[in-house]
PDB file of all heavy atoms in Angstrom:
ATOM      1  N   TYR K 230      12.771 -26.543  62.035  1.00  0.00           N
ATOM      2  CA  TYR K 230      13.926 -27.385  62.349  1.00  0.00           C
ATOM      3  C   TYR K 230      15.079 -27.017  61.439  1.00  0.00           C
ATOM      4  O   TYR K 230      14.879 -26.411  60.379  1.00  0.00           O
ATOM      5  CB  TYR K 230      13.605 -28.877  62.237  1.00  0.00           C
ATOM      6  CG  TYR K 230      13.166 -29.353  60.870  1.00  0.00           C
ATOM      7  CD1 TYR K 230      14.082 -29.903  59.982  1.00  0.00           C
ATOM      8  CD2 TYR K 230      11.825 -29.286  60.505  1.00  0.00           C
ATOM      9  CE1 TYR K 230      13.674 -30.363  58.743  1.00  0.00           C
ATOM     10  CE2 TYR K 230      11.419 -29.730  59.263  1.00  0.00           C
ATOM     11  CZ  TYR K 230      12.331 -30.272  58.388  1.00  0.00           C
ATOM     12  OH  TYR K 230      11.931 -30.722  57.167  1.00  0.00           O
ATOM     13  N   SER K 231      16.255 -27.364  61.868  1.00  0.00           N
ATOM     14  CA  SER K 231      17.460 -27.104  61.095  1.00  0.00           C
ATOM     15  C   SER K 231      18.265 -28.388  60.996  1.00  0.00           C
ATOM     16  O   SER K 231      18.073 -29.310  61.796  1.00  0.00           O
ATOM     17  CB  SER K 231      18.293 -26.009  61.755  1.00  0.00           C
ATOM     18  OG  SER K 231      18.570 -26.331  63.097  1.00  0.00           O
ATOM     19  N   TYR K 232      19.124 -28.449  60.026  1.00  0.00           N
ATOM     20  CA  TYR K 232      19.979 -29.617  59.880  1.00  0.00           C
ATOM     21  C   TYR K 232      21.231 -29.242  59.108  1.00  0.00           C
ATOM     22  O   TYR K 232      21.218 -28.337  58.281  1.00  0.00           O
ATOM     23  CB  TYR K 232      19.245 -30.766  59.176  1.00  0.00           C
ATOM     24  CG  TYR K 232      18.680 -30.432  57.813  1.00  0.00           C
ATOM     25  CD1 TYR K 232      19.386 -30.719  56.653  1.00  0.00           C
ATOM     26  CD2 TYR K 232      17.437 -29.826  57.703  1.00  0.00           C
ATOM     27  CE1 TYR K 232      18.863 -30.416  55.408  1.00  0.00           C
ATOM     28  CE2 TYR K 232      16.912 -29.501  56.463  1.00  0.00           C
ATOM     29  CZ  TYR K 232      17.617 -29.807  55.316  1.00  0.00           C
ATOM     30  OH  TYR K 232      17.097 -29.495  54.095  1.00  0.00           O
ATOM     31  N   MET K 233      22.315 -29.945  59.439  1.00  0.00           N
ATOM     32  CA  MET K 233      23.616 -29.702  58.823  1.00  0.00           C
ATOM     33  C   MET K 233      23.965 -30.918  57.970  1.00  0.00           C
ATOM     34  O   MET K 233      24.295 -31.979  58.517  1.00  0.00           O
ATOM     35  CB  MET K 233      24.667 -29.460  59.917  1.00  0.00           C
ATOM     36  CG  MET K 233      24.432 -28.139  60.646  1.00  0.00           C
ATOM     37  SD  MET K 233      25.291 -27.985  62.225  1.00  0.00           S
ATOM     38  CE  MET K 233      24.093 -28.714  63.333  1.00  0.00           C
ATOM     39  N   ASP K 234      23.851 -30.759  56.649  1.00  0.00           N
ATOM     40  CA  ASP K 234      23.946 -31.929  55.782  1.00  0.00           C
ATOM     41  C   ASP K 234      25.292 -32.105  55.092  1.00  0.00           C
ATOM     42  O   ASP K 234      25.555 -33.173  54.524  1.00  0.00           O
ATOM     43  CB  ASP K 234      22.827 -31.903  54.737  1.00  0.00           C
ATOM     44  CG  ASP K 234      22.913 -30.696  53.823  1.00  0.00           C
ATOM     45  OD1 ASP K 234      23.577 -29.694  54.191  1.00  0.00           O
ATOM     46  OD2 ASP K 234      22.295 -30.734  52.733  1.00  0.00           O
ATOM     47  N   VAL K 235      26.129 -31.100  55.106  1.00  0.00           N
ATOM     48  CA  VAL K 235      27.465 -31.219  54.512  1.00  0.00           C
ATOM     49  C   VAL K 235      28.467 -30.695  55.520  1.00  0.00           C
ATOM     50  O   VAL K 235      28.316 -29.574  56.016  1.00  0.00           O
ATOM     51  CB  VAL K 235      27.585 -30.434  53.191  1.00  0.00           C
ATOM     52  CG1 VAL K 235      28.989 -30.618  52.602  1.00  0.00           C
ATOM     53  CG2 VAL K 235      26.519 -30.882  52.192  1.00  0.00           C
ATOM     54  N   TRP K 236      29.470 -31.496  55.818  1.00  0.00           N
ATOM     55  CA  TRP K 236      30.487 -31.147  56.814  1.00  0.00           C
ATOM     56  C   TRP K 236      31.879 -31.192  56.188  1.00  0.00           C
ATOM     57  O   TRP K 236      32.145 -32.007  55.299  1.00  0.00           O
ATOM     58  CB  TRP K 236      30.472 -32.139  57.978  1.00  0.00           C
ATOM     59  CG  TRP K 236      29.257 -32.084  58.837  1.00  0.00           C
ATOM     60  CD1 TRP K 236      27.967 -32.381  58.472  1.00  0.00           C
ATOM     61  CD2 TRP K 236      29.201 -31.757  60.223  1.00  0.00           C
ATOM     62  NE1 TRP K 236      27.122 -32.238  59.535  1.00  0.00           N
ATOM     63  CE2 TRP K 236      27.848 -31.858  60.630  1.00  0.00           C
ATOM     64  CE3 TRP K 236      30.162 -31.376  61.168  1.00  0.00           C
ATOM     65  CZ2 TRP K 236      27.432 -31.599  61.942  1.00  0.00           C
ATOM     66  CZ3 TRP K 236      29.764 -31.119  62.473  1.00  0.00           C
ATOM     67  CH2 TRP K 236      28.413 -31.230  62.848  1.00  0.00           C
ATOM     68  N   GLY K 237      32.757 -30.327  56.675  1.00  0.00           N
ATOM     69  CA  GLY K 237      34.160 -30.470  56.348  1.00  0.00           C
ATOM     70  C   GLY K 237      34.777 -31.601  57.167  1.00  0.00           C
ATOM     71  O   GLY K 237      34.137 -32.132  58.079  1.00  0.00           O
ATOM     72  N   LYS K 238      35.998 -31.942  56.837  1.00  0.00           N
ATOM     73  CA  LYS K 238      36.678 -33.033  57.550  1.00  0.00           C
ATOM     74  C   LYS K 238      37.150 -32.601  58.938  1.00  0.00           C
ATOM     75  O   LYS K 238      37.447 -33.441  59.787  1.00  0.00           O
ATOM     76  CB  LYS K 238      37.860 -33.529  56.740  1.00  0.00           C
ATOM     77  CG  LYS K 238      37.462 -34.327  55.492  1.00  0.00           C
ATOM     78  CD  LYS K 238      38.696 -34.833  54.763  1.00  0.00           C
ATOM     79  CE  LYS K 238      38.348 -35.897  53.746  1.00  0.00           C
ATOM     80  NZ  LYS K 238      37.321 -35.511  52.793  1.00  0.00           N
ATOM     81  N   GLY K 239      37.227 -31.305  59.161  1.00  0.00           N
ATOM     82  CA  GLY K 239      37.663 -30.800  60.453  1.00  0.00           C
ATOM     83  C   GLY K 239      39.142 -30.449  60.451  1.00  0.00           C
ATOM     84  O   GLY K 239      39.940 -31.058  59.725  1.00  0.00           O
ATOM     85  N   THR K 240      39.497 -29.475  61.262  1.00  0.00           N
ATOM     86  CA  THR K 240      40.889 -29.081  61.419  1.00  0.00           C
ATOM     87  C   THR K 240      41.192 -28.958  62.905  1.00  0.00           C
ATOM     88  O   THR K 240      40.390 -28.402  63.661  1.00  0.00           O
ATOM     89  CB  THR K 240      41.191 -27.765  60.676  1.00  0.00           C
ATOM     90  OG1 THR K 240      42.591 -27.502  60.730  1.00  0.00           O
ATOM     91  CG2 THR K 240      40.454 -26.577  61.272  1.00  0.00           C
ATOM     92  N   THR K 241      42.309 -29.489  63.318  1.00  0.00           N
ATOM     93  CA  THR K 241      42.680 -29.469  64.734  1.00  0.00           C
ATOM     94  C   THR K 241      43.401 -28.175  65.074  1.00  0.00           C
ATOM     95  O   THR K 241      44.360 -27.787  64.384  1.00  0.00           O
ATOM     96  CB  THR K 241      43.587 -30.662  65.064  1.00  0.00           C
ATOM     97  OG1 THR K 241      42.871 -31.872  64.796  1.00  0.00           O
ATOM     98  CG2 THR K 241      43.993 -30.639  66.530  1.00  0.00           C
ATOM     99  N   VAL K 242      42.937 -27.519  66.101  1.00  0.00           N
ATOM    100  CA  VAL K 242      43.562 -26.299  66.594  1.00  0.00           C
ATOM    101  C   VAL K 242      43.997 -26.528  68.036  1.00  0.00           C
ATOM    102  O   VAL K 242      43.181 -26.920  68.877  1.00  0.00           O
ATOM    103  CB  VAL K 242      42.608 -25.106  66.519  1.00  0.00           C
ATOM    104  CG1 VAL K 242      43.248 -23.866  67.146  1.00  0.00           C
ATOM    105  CG2 VAL K 242      42.203 -24.835  65.073  1.00  0.00           C
TER     106      VAL K 242
END
Side-chain angles (χ1 to χ4, degrees):
Chain K
Y230 61 95
S231 54
Y232 57 96
M233 291 163 272
D234 62 340
V235 181
W236 292 65
K238 288 182 166 54
T240 187
T241 299
V242 175

